[in-house]
Amino acid sequence: HVQLVESGGGSVQAGGSLRLSCTVSGYNMWRYCIGWFRQAPGKEREGVAAIDRDPLTNYADSVKGRFTIASDSAQNTLYLQMNNLKPEDTAVYYCAASLGAGACHTNPLREADFNNWGQGTQVTVS
């Protein structure tokens, strides 16, 4: 049974930084693609960043150069370092794990390729 638990969200001023964490259990982080999605009020959920075992990283154009995804298999934790945050980054951020090898290779990331989801953590940038 795969469990994903996000933490690290909060409120920050524009230009600030936050680091999100996702604690993973029941899933081999090094075998498939794992990543972050976000959903802003009134908008569809969108892919933010993902990483697989190569490690291949895949970022949405809107966050390239500002966000960094990283995984620590020893700690079973996925991270998203978010720098230079903008008000348009305000959203609920979700950790998501795929059971398909190719999920990290699509741009933009596709929600349908990810089978397991965390409960989300709120990020608010003002």
Side-chain angles (χ1 to χ4, degrees):
H1 176 63
V2 178
Q3 272 198 306
L4 308 172
V5 180
E6 303 96 335
S7 61
S11 297
V12 65
Q13 290 189 336
S17 298
L18 283 173
R19 188 176 78 159
L20 304 183
S21 298
C22 174
T23 302
V24 181
S25 60
Y27 179 81
N28 186 337
M29 291 180 61
W30 288 109
R31 187 167 184 181
Y32 300 115
C33 176
I34 188 167
W36 295 92
F37 283 71
R38 68 185 180 186
Q39 188 168 22
K43 294 188 176 181
E44 294 186 352
R45 192 150 53 181
E46 64 173 356
V48 176
I51 187 169
D52 72 6
R53 63 180 176 177
D54 282 342
L56 167 73
T57 56
N58 186 344
Y59 294 94
D61 290 342
S62 58
V63 306
K64 282 180 182 176
R66 300 188 299 120
F67 290 11
T68 303
I69 189 170
S71 61
D72 184 339
S73 60
Q75 298 295 324
N76 289 331
T77 303
L78 179 72
Y79 300 101
L80 185 68
Q81 177 66 44
M82 306 186 295
N83 298 328
N84 190 21
L85 282 160
K86 304 176 180 181
E88 52 263 43
D89 295 318
T90 295
V92 178
Y93 283 71
Y94 298 89
C95 179
S98 171
L99 293 179
C104 274
H105 295 264
T106 61
N107 195 350
L109 296 168
R110 296 191 302 221
E111 185 176 349
D113 289 338
F114 290 79
N115 313 79
N116 298 280
W117 296 83
Q119 82 288 350
T121 186
Q122 176 70 47
V123 171
T124 303
V125 185
S126 60

